[in-house]
Amino acid sequence: MDSVPSFLIWFLLVLAFPIQARADLPGTWELLVPDAGIASMHTAVTRFNTVILLDRTNIGPSRKLLPKGHCRFDRNDAILKRDCYAHSVHFDIKTNQLRPLKILTDTWCSSGQFLPDGTLLQTGGDLDGLKKIRKFNPCDANGSCDWEELNDVELAEGRWYATNQILPDGSIIIIGGRGSNTLEFFPPRPNGAVSFPFLAETEDTQMDNLYPYVHLLPNGHLFVFANTKAVMYDFSTNRVLKEYPPLEGGPRNYPSAGSSVMLPLEGDYSAVEIVVCGGAQYGAFLQRSTDRPAHGSCGRILATGPDPVWQMEDMPFGRIMGDMVMLPNGGVLIINGAMSGTQGFELASNPCLYPVLYRPDQPVGLRFMTLNPGTVPRLYHSTANLLPDGRVLLAGSNPHVLYRFDAEFPTELRIEAFSPEYLAPDKANIRPEIVEVPETVRYGGKFNMVVTVSLPVVGIIEVNLGSAPFATHSFSQGQRLVKLAVTSAVPDGDGRYRIEVTAPPNGMVAPPGYYMAFAVNQGVPSVARWIHVS
């Protein structure tokens, strides 16, 4: 040992400690599917505990074939006139089995949202999909549901890189898109496309106003964020009611996108905060700079306050194209993306493999917790979605024009799941199990939930409703978590506890539709039951 140079011993020790530290970080990773056949650009979880994964059609061969006799014919497709490959799949999270789906028109950089009846409305795209409206009526894992292309109705304007949001009455607003500084509704309204000058005002020389961040506030108005600016918008009168202060730190939307989330709705539902994190430096997209560091700053604002201002804080890492996923206990998982570059084909580097947990209730400076890193880079065109069992599904990443597997960051066909710390084995004895809950609840009504817990319950068991958003391009369209008013859990015999719950008061707090209902005990969620709110 005396012959070993001291600097070499020091170097080996330095290498060893980060490995140990990495092993101690919270969260675990799981490979669910080694080859899904497609790279998912858009992902949504259905009430049947299945997942719809969707790419684009004009991308050439995928690695998943359509059933015999189901090829797609498109004389205008520059790559495959006769396309026998699937560009969408139906994924069963219980068995990890996949079924190919057939999509006809191009869904590249499109948008989506679930309707009140649980049907996925999917809109826009490129080329023959630009004005297209599609539906997917979900089924269980043994069903044969597939995409339906609507031929009797289309969008009033082409929508490429637009954002969808369900409204209190169950209709859908579709905002923006490349070259479309307008909005419209589904079902279509007589006035068609409505001018929305805010989008023109936030466009710069590299756009930066695409896929705007849209959140339905509990006062029934919309918080719309594009580039560095935000407004409160009354869609019923087509008026901007409030202009928020600009968010410092550069552009935040496509092609410079970070991500955004609305924090949980709770209490009397009169106040809510919005968080916007990360993004690329202005000019990185124009100059095709792959190594320019991403922003690490976050802005948080009380959107319903009388004189709101952005409260700034910094993530542990700069991040472009990160996804912000609302967890059942009110925390926010920030995952995927890169620490350098911008959105676009082959324009990012330095993958950010470390997820981060944002804890909204902690003081500034203590809100971010670095979690156990993954090993699969998920860059442009990747997604993250909360599953009913509390895990987060990771899919996609294709920073190339076509599928390419010989690059530094290849097209990614693996599907993974990340389990937050609340799913650790040492928390199993406080994890509740829902044994009774109604399938349907009405606004303002009271209902009972019955749960079992291994250890005696101390404190309040929360009942939280999580929506099923449409995830694409680092933003989950329609994402929200509603914390319901509950009574203390009352012992009901045999380790059971009965909780009286009050449903959301109206569609402004929780638009009509299907939600994942979680019981949360000391921050640990149950497996969700799907309930319909109307």
Side-chain angles (χ1 to χ4, degrees), residues 136-421:
F136 189 94
N137 189 9
C139 57
D140 64 28
N142 297 317
S144 58
C145 48
D146 211 331
W147 286 103
E148 175 190 1
E149 312 257 347
L150 304 188
N151 295 317
D152 58 342
V153 62
E154 66 176 11
L155 295 172
E157 283 196 3
R159 304 282 172 190
W160 193 25
Y161 302 91
T163 300
N164 294 11
Q165 170 64 53
I166 189 169
L167 299 176
D169 65 355
S171 63
I172 308 295
I173 191 168
I174 307 159
I175 300 179
R178 190 166 182 171
S180 297
N181 296 322
T182 64
L183 56 87
E184 61 184 281
F185 300 87
F186 182 90
R189 298 186 180 181
N191 51 354
V194 178
S195 176
F196 190 31
F198 169 73
L199 293 177
E201 295 163 8
T202 52
E203 184 175 356
D204 59 28
T205 55
Q206 58 177 21
M207 296 170 290
D208 283 327
N209 67 344
L210 302 181
Y211 277 127
Y213 302 144
V214 181
H215 302 285
L216 174 65
L217 301 176
N219 60 14
H221 304 310
L222 297 177
F223 179 95
V224 185
F225 185 100
N227 200 330
T228 63
K229 299 178 180 179
V231 295
M232 182 189 293
Y233 175 66
D234 182 346
F235 56 85
S236 62
T237 62
N238 190 29
R239 288 191 306 125
V240 170
L241 304 179
K242 184 191 294 282
E243 294 184 4
Y244 296 92
L247 175 58
E248 64 183 51
R252 306 281 183 164
N253 293 81
Y254 187 92
S256 304
S259 190
S260 177
V261 70
M262 183 169 68
L263 296 182
L265 293 158
E266 55 187 324
D268 65 0
Y269 307 118
S270 63
V272 71
E273 293 180 283
I274 308 293
V275 180
V276 178
C277 288
Q281 292 188 39
Y282 175 79
F285 181 78
L286 290 175
Q287 297 166 19
R288 300 187 61 81
S289 174
T290 62
D291 56 1
R292 191 173 297 185
H295 299 303
S297 65
C298 292
R300 175 170 167 170
I301 195 167
L302 181 62
T304 48
D307 297 299
V309 294
W310 291 98
Q311 180 187 67
M312 302 303 296
E313 46 195 329
D314 289 316
M315 296 186 289
F317 310 95
R319 195 182 300 252
I320 174 75
M321 298 179 288
D323 287 273
M324 299 181 77
V325 179
M326 180 60 67
L327 299 178
N329 60 6
V332 180
L333 181 70
I334 306 173
I335 198 165
N336 294 343
M339 292 185 282
S340 302
T342 184
Q343 286 174 302
F345 292 123
E346 301 175 4
L347 291 182
S349 65
N350 199 10
C352 195
L353 299 175
Y354 284 87
V356 171
L357 178 64
Y358 180 74
R359 298 167 293 182
D361 295 336
Q362 296 296 312
V364 176
L366 298 176
R367 290 175 177 162
F368 293 101
M369 175 189 288
T370 301
L371 306 178
N372 186 28
T375 59
V376 178
R378 297 207 183 260
L379 305 177
Y380 191 40
H381 292 152
S382 58
T383 59
N385 295 72
L386 177 68
L387 295 177
D389 60 13
R391 295 178 299 168
V392 175
L393 185 83
L394 290 316
S397 185
N398 185 20
H400 311 289
V401 177
L402 306 177
Y403 281 19
R404 184 179 173 188
F405 302 98
D406 60 351
E408 180 182 8
F409 305 119
T411 302
E412 186 52 65
L413 305 182
R414 285 172 286 187
I415 300 177
E416 297 177 288
F418 178 79
S419 294
E421 186 181 21

Side-chain angles (χ1 to χ4, degrees), residues 95-113:
T95 64
N96 293 341
Q97 296 300 303
L98 295 154
R99 178 171 62 86
L101 302 173
K102 184 176 181 180
I103 191 88
L104 293 178
T105 54
D106 187 27
T107 51
W108 184 12
C109 301
S110 52
S111 52
Q113 193 83 161

